[in-house]
Amino acid sequence: MDQYLAASKYIDFDHPEVTALARDLASRASSEADLVRACFEFVRDEIRHSSDFKLNPVTCKASDVLRFKTGYCYAKSHLLAALLRANGIPAGLCYQRLSLAGDGAPFCLHGLNAAWLKDFGWYRVDARGNKPGVDAQFQPPREALAFATDAPGERDLPEIWAEPLALIVDALERYDSYDQVLAKLPDIELAN
Protein backbone atom coordinates (compact mmCIF):
# COMPACT_ATOMS: atom_id res chain seq x y z
CA MET A 1 0.00 0.00 0.00
CA ASP A 2 3.00 2.32 0.28
CA GLN A 3 2.60 3.62 -3.26
CA TYR A 4 -0.98 4.68 -2.45
CA LEU A 5 0.23 6.68 0.55
CA ALA A 6 3.15 8.50 -1.08
CA ALA A 7 3.44 12.19 -1.96
CA SER A 8 4.52 12.93 -5.52
CA LYS A 9 4.79 15.74 -8.05
CA TYR A 10 1.05 15.71 -8.82
CA ILE A 11 -0.30 14.33 -5.55
CA ASP A 12 1.69 16.82 -3.50
CA PHE A 13 0.13 16.52 -0.06
CA ASP A 14 3.43 17.69 1.36
CA HIS A 15 2.54 21.21 0.11
CA PRO A 16 1.70 23.36 3.17
CA GLU A 17 -1.79 24.40 1.98
CA VAL A 18 -2.79 20.83 1.15
CA THR A 19 -1.41 19.58 4.48
CA ALA A 20 -3.29 22.29 6.39
CA LEU A 21 -6.59 21.49 4.67
CA ALA A 22 -6.11 17.75 5.26
CA ARG A 23 -5.53 18.39 8.98
CA ASP A 24 -8.54 20.69 9.19
CA LEU A 25 -10.83 18.13 7.56
CA ALA A 26 -9.47 15.40 9.85
CA SER A 27 -10.04 17.51 12.97
CA ARG A 28 -13.78 17.51 12.32
CA ALA A 29 -14.11 13.78 11.50
CA SER A 30 -15.04 11.17 14.10
CA SER A 31 -14.35 8.08 11.97
CA GLU A 32 -12.54 6.93 8.85
CA ALA A 33 -15.80 7.12 6.87
CA ASP A 34 -16.44 10.67 8.13
CA LEU A 35 -12.96 11.70 7.07
CA VAL A 36 -13.21 10.19 3.58
CA ARG A 37 -16.66 11.74 3.15
CA ALA A 38 -15.36 15.16 4.26
CA CYS A 39 -12.42 15.06 1.84
CA PHE A 40 -14.65 13.80 -0.99
CA GLU A 41 -17.37 16.40 -0.41
CA PHE A 42 -14.82 19.22 -0.14
CA VAL A 43 -13.32 18.40 -3.53
CA ARG A 44 -16.70 17.65 -5.13
CA ASP A 45 -18.41 20.79 -3.83
CA GLU A 46 -15.71 23.42 -3.26
CA ILE A 47 -13.50 22.87 -6.32
CA ARG A 48 -15.23 23.92 -9.52
CA HIS A 49 -15.00 21.68 -12.59
CA SER A 50 -13.05 23.60 -15.24
CA SER A 51 -15.36 23.00 -18.19
CA ASP A 52 -18.63 23.24 -16.20
CA PHE A 53 -17.64 26.71 -15.00
CA LYS A 54 -15.43 27.70 -17.97
CA LEU A 55 -12.49 28.42 -15.67
CA ASN A 56 -8.76 28.83 -16.11
CA PRO A 57 -6.00 28.12 -15.38
CA VAL A 58 -5.72 24.45 -16.32
CA THR A 59 -4.49 22.71 -13.16
CA CYS A 60 -2.81 19.34 -12.61
CA LYS A 61 -0.99 19.33 -9.26
CA ALA A 62 -3.15 18.92 -6.17
CA SER A 63 -1.76 22.13 -4.68
CA ASP A 64 -2.67 24.12 -7.80
CA VAL A 65 -6.19 22.69 -7.81
CA LEU A 66 -6.58 23.86 -4.23
CA ARG A 67 -4.99 27.26 -4.84
CA PHE A 68 -7.10 28.10 -7.92
CA LYS A 69 -10.21 26.19 -6.73
CA THR A 70 -10.70 24.65 -10.18
CA GLY A 71 -9.74 21.58 -12.12
CA TYR A 72 -10.86 18.99 -14.60
CA CYS A 73 -12.00 15.66 -13.12
CA TYR A 74 -8.43 14.37 -13.42
CA ALA A 75 -6.95 17.25 -11.44
CA LYS A 76 -9.73 17.07 -8.85
CA SER A 77 -8.88 13.38 -8.38
CA HIS A 78 -5.25 14.40 -7.72
CA LEU A 79 -6.41 16.70 -4.91
CA LEU A 80 -8.71 14.10 -3.39
CA ALA A 81 -5.90 11.52 -3.45
CA ALA A 82 -3.61 14.05 -1.78
CA LEU A 83 -6.07 14.86 1.01
CA LEU A 84 -6.72 11.19 1.71
CA ARG A 85 -3.04 10.22 1.62
CA ALA A 86 -2.14 13.11 3.91
CA ASN A 87 -4.49 11.54 6.43
CA GLY A 88 -3.02 8.06 6.07
CA ILE A 89 -5.81 6.65 3.89
CA PRO A 90 -4.51 4.78 0.83
CA ALA A 91 -5.89 6.41 -2.31
CA GLY A 92 -5.43 5.78 -6.01
CA LEU A 93 -6.58 7.08 -9.35
CA CYS A 94 -9.15 5.35 -11.54
CA TYR A 95 -10.47 6.05 -15.01
CA GLN A 96 -13.56 5.41 -17.05
CA ARG A 97 -13.76 5.58 -20.82
CA LEU A 98 -16.92 7.52 -21.65
CA SER A 99 -18.73 8.49 -24.81
CA LEU A 100 -18.79 12.27 -25.23
CA ALA A 101 -22.30 12.18 -26.73
CA GLY A 102 -23.50 9.13 -24.81
CA ASP A 103 -23.96 6.92 -27.86
CA GLY A 104 -20.52 5.80 -29.06
CA ALA A 105 -17.50 7.57 -30.54
CA PRO A 106 -15.87 9.93 -29.82
CA PHE A 107 -14.69 8.88 -26.35
CA CYS A 108 -12.64 10.40 -23.55
CA LEU A 109 -11.22 9.31 -20.24
CA HIS A 110 -12.85 10.44 -17.02
CA GLY A 111 -10.86 10.58 -13.77
CA LEU A 112 -12.02 9.45 -10.35
CA ASN A 113 -10.56 7.86 -7.20
CA ALA A 114 -10.45 4.69 -5.17
CA ALA A 115 -9.90 4.86 -1.42
CA TRP A 116 -9.01 1.89 0.78
CA LEU A 117 -11.63 1.69 3.53
CA LYS A 118 -10.91 -0.74 6.35
CA ASP A 119 -14.51 -1.99 6.39
CA PHE A 120 -14.97 -2.32 2.60
CA GLY A 121 -11.63 -2.51 0.78
CA TRP A 122 -11.17 -0.41 -2.34
CA TYR A 123 -14.13 1.92 -2.83
CA ARG A 124 -14.48 4.23 -5.83
CA VAL A 125 -15.64 7.83 -5.44
CA ASP A 126 -16.09 10.51 -8.08
CA ALA A 127 -15.50 14.11 -6.97
CA ARG A 128 -15.91 15.72 -10.43
CA GLY A 129 -18.77 17.89 -9.14
CA ASN A 130 -22.51 17.44 -9.31
CA LYS A 131 -24.83 19.19 -11.74
CA PRO A 132 -28.16 18.32 -13.36
CA GLY A 133 -27.90 14.68 -14.41
CA VAL A 134 -24.77 14.06 -12.28
CA ASP A 135 -25.21 13.00 -8.64
CA ALA A 136 -22.04 11.43 -7.23
CA GLN A 137 -22.25 10.49 -3.55
CA PHE A 138 -20.28 8.75 -0.80
CA GLN A 139 -22.45 5.75 0.18
CA PRO A 140 -20.24 2.74 0.93
CA PRO A 141 -20.41 -0.05 0.14
CA ARG A 142 -22.60 1.09 -2.81
CA GLU A 143 -20.81 3.15 -5.45
CA ALA A 144 -22.62 6.31 -6.55
CA LEU A 145 -20.41 7.59 -9.36
CA ALA A 146 -21.05 10.53 -11.66
CA PHE A 147 -21.38 8.37 -14.78
CA ALA A 148 -22.45 4.85 -15.68
CA THR A 149 -20.66 3.04 -18.48
CA ASP A 150 -23.68 1.89 -20.50
CA ALA A 151 -22.99 3.04 -24.08
CA PRO A 152 -21.17 0.80 -26.57
CA GLY A 153 -17.41 1.31 -26.18
CA GLU A 154 -17.64 2.74 -22.68
CA ARG A 155 -15.79 0.96 -19.92
CA ASP A 156 -14.74 1.12 -16.30
CA LEU A 157 -10.99 0.59 -16.37
CA PRO A 158 -10.28 -1.85 -13.53
CA GLU A 159 -6.83 -0.61 -12.55
CA ILE A 160 -6.08 1.59 -9.56
CA TRP A 161 -3.06 3.72 -10.35
CA ALA A 162 -0.81 5.32 -7.75
CA GLU A 163 0.13 8.09 -10.20
CA PRO A 164 -1.78 9.80 -13.03
CA LEU A 165 -1.46 8.37 -16.52
CA ALA A 166 1.09 10.17 -18.69
CA LEU A 167 -1.54 11.09 -21.30
CA ILE A 168 -3.61 12.80 -18.58
CA VAL A 169 -0.64 14.83 -17.34
CA ASP A 170 0.25 15.72 -20.92
CA ALA A 171 -3.27 17.00 -21.65
CA LEU A 172 -3.33 19.11 -18.49
CA GLU A 173 0.16 20.53 -18.91
CA ARG A 174 0.13 21.08 -22.68
CA TYR A 175 -2.80 23.47 -22.90
CA ASP A 176 -3.28 26.91 -21.37
CA SER A 177 -7.08 27.13 -21.26
CA TYR A 178 -10.00 24.90 -20.29
CA ASP A 179 -11.46 25.05 -23.81
CA GLN A 180 -8.23 23.78 -25.38
CA VAL A 181 -8.33 20.78 -23.03
CA LEU A 182 -12.03 20.30 -23.75
CA ALA A 183 -11.30 20.14 -27.49
CA LYS A 184 -8.58 17.49 -26.94
CA LEU A 185 -9.80 15.36 -24.03
CA PRO A 186 -7.53 12.31 -23.60
CA ASP A 187 -8.66 8.87 -24.69
CA ILE A 188 -7.15 5.42 -25.06
CA GLU A 189 -7.90 2.53 -27.38
CA LEU A 190 -9.27 -0.51 -25.57
CA ALA A 191 -8.48 -4.11 -26.39
CA ASN A 192 -11.59 -6.13 -27.11
Side-chain angles (χ1 to χ4, degrees), residues 1 5 19 22 26 29 36 44 53 56 69 74 79 87 92 109 111-112 122 129-130 158 161 174 184:
M1 285 294 194
L5 289 165
T19 301
V36 175
R44 184 193 65 188
F53 289 89
N56 293 312
K69 302 281 192 271
Y74 323 108
L79 177 58
N87 282 303
L109 290 181
L112 55 150
W122 285 113
N130 290 340
W161 282 272
R174 174 182 296 196
K184 299 285 187 181

Short mmCIF file of all heavy atoms in Angstrom, two decimals, residues 1 5 19 22 26 29 36 44 53 56 69 74 79 87 92 109 111-112 122 129-130 158 161 174 184:
data_model
loop_
_atom_site.label_atom_id
_atom_site.label_comp_id
_atom_site.label_asym_id
_atom_site.label_seq_id
_atom_site.Cartn_x
_atom_site.Cartn_y
_atom_site.Cartn_z
N MET A 1 0.82 -1.21 0.00
CA MET A 1 0.00 0.00 0.00
C MET A 1 0.85 1.26 0.00
O MET A 1 0.31 2.34 -0.15
CB MET A 1 -0.92 0.02 1.21
CG MET A 1 -2.09 -0.91 1.13
SD MET A 1 -3.22 -0.42 -0.16
CE MET A 1 -4.60 -1.42 0.27
N LEU A 5 0.10 5.75 -0.58
CA LEU A 5 0.23 6.68 0.55
C LEU A 5 1.30 7.73 0.32
O LEU A 5 1.51 8.60 1.16
CB LEU A 5 0.55 5.89 1.83
CG LEU A 5 -0.59 5.05 2.39
CD1 LEU A 5 -0.07 4.06 3.42
CD2 LEU A 5 -1.66 5.94 3.00
N THR A 19 -1.57 20.17 3.15
CA THR A 19 -1.41 19.58 4.48
C THR A 19 -2.36 20.25 5.48
O THR A 19 -3.01 19.57 6.28
CB THR A 19 0.05 19.73 4.96
OG1 THR A 19 0.90 19.08 4.03
CG2 THR A 19 0.24 19.12 6.34
N ALA A 22 -5.94 19.15 4.85
CA ALA A 22 -6.11 17.75 5.26
C ALA A 22 -6.26 17.66 6.77
O ALA A 22 -7.13 16.93 7.28
CB ALA A 22 -4.93 16.92 4.77
N ALA A 26 -9.61 16.51 8.89
CA ALA A 26 -9.47 15.40 9.85
C ALA A 26 -9.92 15.81 11.25
O ALA A 26 -10.49 14.99 11.98
CB ALA A 26 -8.03 14.91 9.88
N ALA A 29 -13.59 15.12 11.79
CA ALA A 29 -14.11 13.78 11.50
C ALA A 29 -14.01 12.89 12.73
O ALA A 29 -13.03 12.93 13.47
CB ALA A 29 -13.32 13.17 10.35
N VAL A 36 -13.17 10.38 5.04
CA VAL A 36 -13.21 10.19 3.58
C VAL A 36 -14.35 11.00 2.98
O VAL A 36 -14.19 11.66 1.96
CB VAL A 36 -13.29 8.70 3.21
CG1 VAL A 36 -13.44 8.52 1.71
CG2 VAL A 36 -12.06 7.96 3.72
N ARG A 44 -15.52 17.65 -4.25
CA ARG A 44 -16.70 17.65 -5.13
C ARG A 44 -17.39 19.01 -5.14
O ARG A 44 -17.77 19.51 -6.21
CB ARG A 44 -17.69 16.57 -4.66
CG ARG A 44 -18.91 16.43 -5.58
CD ARG A 44 -20.01 15.61 -4.95
NE ARG A 44 -20.54 16.30 -3.77
CZ ARG A 44 -21.40 15.76 -2.91
NH1 ARG A 44 -21.80 14.51 -3.08
NH2 ARG A 44 -21.84 16.44 -1.87
N PHE A 53 -17.63 25.30 -15.38
CA PHE A 53 -17.64 26.71 -15.00
C PHE A 53 -16.82 27.59 -15.94
O PHE A 53 -16.70 28.79 -15.70
CB PHE A 53 -17.13 26.86 -13.56
CG PHE A 53 -18.11 26.35 -12.54
CD1 PHE A 53 -18.07 25.02 -12.14
CD2 PHE A 53 -19.07 27.18 -12.01
CE1 PHE A 53 -18.98 24.54 -11.21
CE2 PHE A 53 -19.98 26.71 -11.07
CZ PHE A 53 -19.94 25.38 -10.67
N ASN A 56 -10.21 29.02 -15.98
CA ASN A 56 -8.76 28.83 -16.11
C ASN A 56 -8.14 29.23 -14.79
O ASN A 56 -8.78 29.92 -14.00
CB ASN A 56 -8.23 29.72 -17.24
CG ASN A 56 -8.75 29.27 -18.58
OD1 ASN A 56 -8.70 28.09 -18.90
ND2 ASN A 56 -9.27 30.21 -19.37
N LYS A 69 -8.84 26.66 -6.97
CA LYS A 69 -10.21 26.19 -6.73
C LYS A 69 -10.91 25.72 -8.01
O LYS A 69 -12.14 25.83 -8.13
CB LYS A 69 -11.07 27.27 -6.04
CG LYS A 69 -10.52 27.76 -4.71
CD LYS A 69 -10.83 26.78 -3.62
CE LYS A 69 -10.56 27.33 -2.25
NZ LYS A 69 -9.21 27.12 -1.77
N TYR A 74 -9.74 14.98 -13.67
CA TYR A 74 -8.43 14.37 -13.42
C TYR A 74 -7.71 15.11 -12.30
O TYR A 74 -7.19 14.51 -11.36
CB TYR A 74 -7.56 14.39 -14.67
CG TYR A 74 -8.29 14.16 -15.96
CD1 TYR A 74 -8.50 15.21 -16.87
CD2 TYR A 74 -8.79 12.90 -16.28
CE1 TYR A 74 -9.16 15.00 -18.05
CE2 TYR A 74 -9.45 12.68 -17.48
CZ TYR A 74 -9.65 13.75 -18.36
OH TYR A 74 -10.32 13.54 -19.54
N LEU A 79 -6.23 16.05 -6.21
CA LEU A 79 -6.41 16.70 -4.91
C LEU A 79 -7.05 15.75 -3.91
O LEU A 79 -6.62 15.68 -2.76
CB LEU A 79 -7.23 17.99 -5.04
CG LEU A 79 -7.54 18.71 -3.73
CD1 LEU A 79 -6.28 19.08 -2.97
CD2 LEU A 79 -8.41 19.94 -3.99
N ASN A 87 -3.86 12.04 5.21
CA ASN A 87 -4.49 11.54 6.43
C ASN A 87 -4.29 10.04 6.61
O ASN A 87 -4.99 9.42 7.42
CB ASN A 87 -5.98 11.89 6.41
CG ASN A 87 -6.22 13.33 6.78
OD1 ASN A 87 -5.81 13.78 7.85
ND2 ASN A 87 -6.84 14.09 5.89
N GLY A 92 -5.96 5.90 -4.65
CA GLY A 92 -5.43 5.78 -6.01
C GLY A 92 -6.31 6.50 -7.00
O GLY A 92 -7.34 7.09 -6.65
N LEU A 109 -11.39 9.85 -21.59
CA LEU A 109 -11.22 9.31 -20.24
C LEU A 109 -11.83 10.26 -19.22
O LEU A 109 -11.85 11.48 -19.42
CB LEU A 109 -9.74 9.09 -19.93
CG LEU A 109 -9.06 7.96 -20.69
CD1 LEU A 109 -7.60 7.86 -20.26
CD2 LEU A 109 -9.77 6.64 -20.48
N GLY A 111 -11.65 10.91 -14.94
CA GLY A 111 -10.86 10.58 -13.77
C GLY A 111 -11.67 10.56 -12.49
O GLY A 111 -12.52 11.44 -12.27
N LEU A 112 -11.40 9.56 -11.65
CA LEU A 112 -12.02 9.45 -10.35
C LEU A 112 -11.03 8.78 -9.40
O LEU A 112 -9.86 8.60 -9.75
CB LEU A 112 -13.35 8.70 -10.42
CG LEU A 112 -13.36 7.31 -11.04
CD1 LEU A 112 -14.45 6.46 -10.41
CD2 LEU A 112 -13.66 7.43 -12.54
N TRP A 122 -11.21 -1.53 -1.38
CA TRP A 122 -11.17 -0.41 -2.34
C TRP A 122 -12.59 0.03 -2.67
O TRP A 122 -13.45 -0.79 -3.01
CB TRP A 122 -10.47 -0.82 -3.63
CG TRP A 122 -8.98 -0.91 -3.50
CD1 TRP A 122 -8.21 -2.02 -3.58
CD2 TRP A 122 -8.07 0.19 -3.29
NE1 TRP A 122 -6.88 -1.70 -3.41
CE2 TRP A 122 -6.77 -0.35 -3.22
CE3 TRP A 122 -8.23 1.56 -3.11
CZ2 TRP A 122 -5.64 0.43 -3.02
CZ3 TRP A 122 -7.11 2.34 -2.90
CH2 TRP A 122 -5.83 1.79 -2.86
N GLY A 129 -17.85 16.79 -9.40
CA GLY A 129 -18.77 17.89 -9.14
C GLY A 129 -20.15 17.56 -9.70
O GLY A 129 -20.27 17.13 -10.85
N ASN A 130 -21.16 17.74 -8.88
CA ASN A 130 -22.51 17.44 -9.31
C ASN A 130 -23.10 18.59 -10.10
O ASN A 130 -22.70 19.75 -9.96
CB ASN A 130 -23.38 17.11 -8.10
CG ASN A 130 -23.02 15.78 -7.48
OD1 ASN A 130 -22.39 14.93 -8.12
ND2 ASN A 130 -23.42 15.58 -6.23
N PRO A 158 -10.34 -1.22 -14.84
CA PRO A 158 -10.28 -1.85 -13.53
C PRO A 158 -9.07 -1.47 -12.68
O PRO A 158 -9.08 -1.69 -11.47
CB PRO A 158 -10.25 -3.35 -13.86
CG PRO A 158 -9.60 -3.41 -15.21
CD PRO A 158 -10.05 -2.17 -15.93
N TRP A 161 -4.41 3.22 -10.15
CA TRP A 161 -3.06 3.72 -10.35
C TRP A 161 -2.63 4.57 -9.15
O TRP A 161 -3.42 5.34 -8.60
CB TRP A 161 -2.98 4.58 -11.61
CG TRP A 161 -2.93 3.78 -12.87
CD1 TRP A 161 -1.82 3.29 -13.50
CD2 TRP A 161 -4.02 3.41 -13.71
NE1 TRP A 161 -2.16 2.62 -14.65
CE2 TRP A 161 -3.52 2.68 -14.81
CE3 TRP A 161 -5.41 3.61 -13.63
CZ2 TRP A 161 -4.31 2.17 -15.81
CZ3 TRP A 161 -6.21 3.09 -14.63
CH2 TRP A 161 -5.66 2.38 -15.70
N ARG A 174 -0.13 20.59 -21.32
CA ARG A 174 0.13 21.08 -22.68
C ARG A 174 -0.68 22.33 -23.01
O ARG A 174 -0.22 23.20 -23.73
CB ARG A 174 -0.21 19.98 -23.68
CG ARG A 174 -0.12 20.46 -25.13
CD ARG A 174 -0.49 19.39 -26.08
NE ARG A 174 0.48 18.30 -25.95
CZ ARG A 174 0.62 17.34 -26.83
NH1 ARG A 174 -0.15 17.30 -27.89
NH2 ARG A 174 1.51 16.40 -26.65
N LYS A 184 -9.55 18.59 -26.78
CA LYS A 184 -8.58 17.49 -26.94
C LYS A 184 -8.57 16.56 -25.72
O LYS A 184 -7.51 16.15 -25.26
CB LYS A 184 -7.16 18.06 -27.14
CG LYS A 184 -7.01 18.94 -28.36
CD LYS A 184 -6.96 18.10 -29.60
CE LYS A 184 -6.64 19.00 -30.80
NZ LYS A 184 -6.59 18.27 -32.03
#
